[in-house]
Amino acid sequence: DRLFESCGGRFGRIWVVGGWYGVLPAMLFNDSRFDIAAVDSIDIDPEVAPVARTLNREAGDLFRALTADMYALDYAAGRPDLIVNTSCEHIADLRAWLALLPLGTTVLLQSNDYFSEPTH
Ligand SMILES: C[S@@+](CC[C@H](N)C(=O)[O-])C[C@H]1O[C@@H](n2cnc3c(N)ncnc32)[C@H](O)[C@@H]1O
């Protein structure tokens, strides 16, 4: 809802980093307010990609689940229209990660308030 309010619903390529099981892309593809050309869900854990592909099966070629470290991505070369980080509670230094993004990049940040989890 906040994304739509701030940026509208039309996007070219979206990168979701720390994308886990690909729930957000599935929600976006099923939300009629959004018209999205492609979503890449990128996660460091190779075990999550098959689940993300299953969840987003109906999106066909519009969806890719990729295995990579969000710190190692070339954001300038990829030039996604929107970068979503759905794992901010796993990022030790969020400002250092944001510094990797080209100036002017549109970014959406998600985190949670599960403070009792020691890895957060
Ligand atoms: C559990 S999910 C995030 C949950 C979500 N924020 C929520 O509120 O429920 C965290 C994901 O971040 C991924 N992750 C952690 N560090 C990463 C990194 N450096 N690059 C890419 N993915 C990473 C993990 O593999 C995991 O799938």
Side-chain angles (χ1 to χ4, degrees):
D1 290 340
R2 297 294 172 267
L3 175 63
F4 184 75
E5 287 163 19
S6 302
C7 302
R10 290 180 69 90
F11 293 95
R13 184 168 294 278
I14 298 176
W15 281 6
V16 182
V17 300
W20 203 14
Y21 292 136
V23 172
L24 181 65
M27 291 171 70
L28 291 173
F29 283 129
N30 279 279
D31 188 328
S32 59
R33 294 174 298 176
F34 289 93
D35 177 9
I36 299 168
V39 182
D40 295 332
S41 183
I42 301 161
D43 199 285
I44 200 167
D45 180 355
E47 295 192 6
V48 301
V51 180
R53 290 186 190 111
T54 298
L55 267 180
N56 290 275
R57 195 170 31 210
E58 283 182 23
D61 291 342
L62 304 191
F63 178 80
R64 293 190 303 181
L66 309 170
T67 302
D69 183 346
M70 69 172 85
Y71 287 96
L73 297 173
D74 188 342
Y75 294 96
R79 298 185 63 83
D81 294 331
L82 170 70
I83 297 172
V84 185
N85 189 332
T86 50
S87 297
C88 294
E89 72 277 12
H90 291 267
I91 302 308
D93 186 346
L94 193 62
R95 287 195 182 282
W97 175 74
L98 284 166
L100 301 174
L101 311 184
L103 216 60
T105 302
T106 303
V107 183
L108 174 68
L109 302 175
Q110 184 270 337
S111 189
N112 66 43
D113 57 1
Y114 186 10
F115 297 115
S116 55
E117 164 57 45
T119 65
H120 287 177

